Amino acid sequence: MTDAVWTDIGAFDAIPRRGARVVCTPQGCVAVFRTADDQAFALEDRCPHRGGPLSQGIVHGTSVTCPLHNWVMSLKTGEAQGADEGRAQTFPLRVAEGRVLIDLSALADRQVLGKAS
Ligand code: FES
């Protein structure tokens, strides 16, 4: 298992409430979400259904609705909700001194994560 690779991806305040920012690496793209009550979560920016860009979805509570076919994913677990089955990969995230840090070591362990469109 790869050691944690905490990467500063920017200011927390730069992410709009109920919105997302995307961080892309050679291994793929990660969507960093901010909820209405200022929690933050990082998921791969790829819906487990057909690869839709979750970063362009609608954030409600601690979930996001995919913009393509309306699957709902938990931001905490990446799991599809309801009758749908699938999971977007999640990444450890912390906010320190107003900066968002995500652990990208899981990306380093993957060959291809997919690209946001
Ligand atoms: S690609 Fe996300 S619901 Fe179909």
Side-chain angles (χ1 to χ4, degrees), residues 11-63:
F12 180 68
D13 284 345
I15 306 171
R17 285 196 173 103
R18 299 173 63 192
R21 286 286 182 266
V22 180
V23 180
C24 287
T25 77
Q27 288 78 30
C29 296
V30 176
V32 180
F33 296 91
R34 177 178 177 179
T35 65
D37 61 353
D38 291 334
Q39 297 181 73
F41 300 95
L43 268 66
E44 84 182 285
D45 192 21
R46 182 176 169 81
C47 178
H49 180 216
R50 292 192 187 166
L54 295 177
S55 59
Q56 295 176 34
I58 296 172
V59 175
H60 46 100
T62 54
S63 300

Side-chain angles (χ1 to χ4, degrees), residues 47-54 66-73:
C47 178
H49 180 216
R50 292 192 187 166
L54 295 177
C66 179
L68 294 193
H69 314 99
N70 298 323
W71 279 28
V72 177
M73 256 61 62

